[in-house]
Amino acid sequence: MTPLLETRGLSKTFGGLKAVQNVDLRVGANRIVSVIGPNGAGKTTFFNCLSGIYRPDGGAILIEGRDITGRAPHQVCKLGVSRTFQNIRLFPKCRCSKTSSSRSSSIARSPAAAPVALQTFLRSGKLSRDEALGFLDFVGLERHADAVSSNLAYGLQRRLEIARALATRPRILLLDERPPG
């Protein structure tokens, strides 16, 4: 059976630093997989390659057997990959119900939903307020729908970022988490 996500010999270097080296990974549908390692092990770089933020130096990334290596984030998003970031990426003056309204026809199902792309999502108005409230409710933030994202505690901002990623309706969700402390 063809895996939902596969990498073959994926590599990324920065100068002489081999951040990701020859990573082979196969993930089937409906699976939960953890990528673990110490700080500096290359986990975020790996996610940046998967989501199109970085172009790998070698290897391949496949979604259901389709090679997506080197595609831009907005192209990867259309294939159903979404993510969160170690460093929260929310619009600080945006209300929670707007932040989780992040779907558009031009950048549907964003994996990276970079801040500039998110503005496009918000302007599109494709996701109704009721749908946005549903995502907020799912992560326990419905009562904060009208709160400004920068006024939320750190843990609630993390949940909001997850709601934003889920609003893209991904088939693959990459959660890049910073350990506490």
Side-chain angles (χ1 to χ4, degrees), residues 9-22 42 45-46 49 54-59:
L10 194 68
S11 298
K12 178 67 181 169
T13 60
F14 298 99
L17 175 67
K18 295 178 182 178
V20 175
Q21 186 175 5
N22 297 317
T45 300
F46 180 64
C49 290
Y54 292 160
R55 182 180 191 96
D57 298 320

Side-chain angles (χ1 to χ4, degrees), residues 35-149:
V35 178
I36 61 172
N39 290 343
K43 300 176 300 290
T44 295
T45 300
F46 180 64
F47 277 17
N48 285 342
C49 290
L50 293 178
S51 60
I53 292 173
Y54 292 160
R55 182 180 191 96
D57 298 320
I61 303 166
L62 298 101
I63 302 290
E64 293 183 319
R66 181 178 178 186
D67 190 343
I68 66 158
T69 309
R71 294 213 183 168
H74 73 277
Q75 294 170 321
V76 176
C77 76
K78 289 181 180 180
L79 298 171
V81 179
S82 190
R83 71 166 296 176
T84 64
F85 294 86
Q86 270 193 12
N87 298 316
I88 295 172
R89 297 199 180 179
L90 300 171
F91 288 103
K93 296 185 184 194
C94 193
R95 301 213 178 270
C96 294
S97 60
K98 293 291 186 185
T99 300
S100 61
S101 302
S102 59
R103 187 173 178 207
S104 80
S105 57
S106 63
I107 310 181
R109 297 189 300 223
S110 170
V116 172
L118 187 55
Q119 272 298 67
T120 303
F121 295 155
L122 297 174
R123 285 191 206 111
S124 74
K126 298 279 183 180
L127 188 66
S128 74
R129 179 170 169 84
D130 288 342
E131 289 174 300
L133 290 174
F135 290 112
L136 292 174
D137 183 49
F138 183 76
V139 299
L141 289 178
E142 187 172 19
R143 70 183 182 99
H144 298 284
D146 293 319
V148 174
S149 65

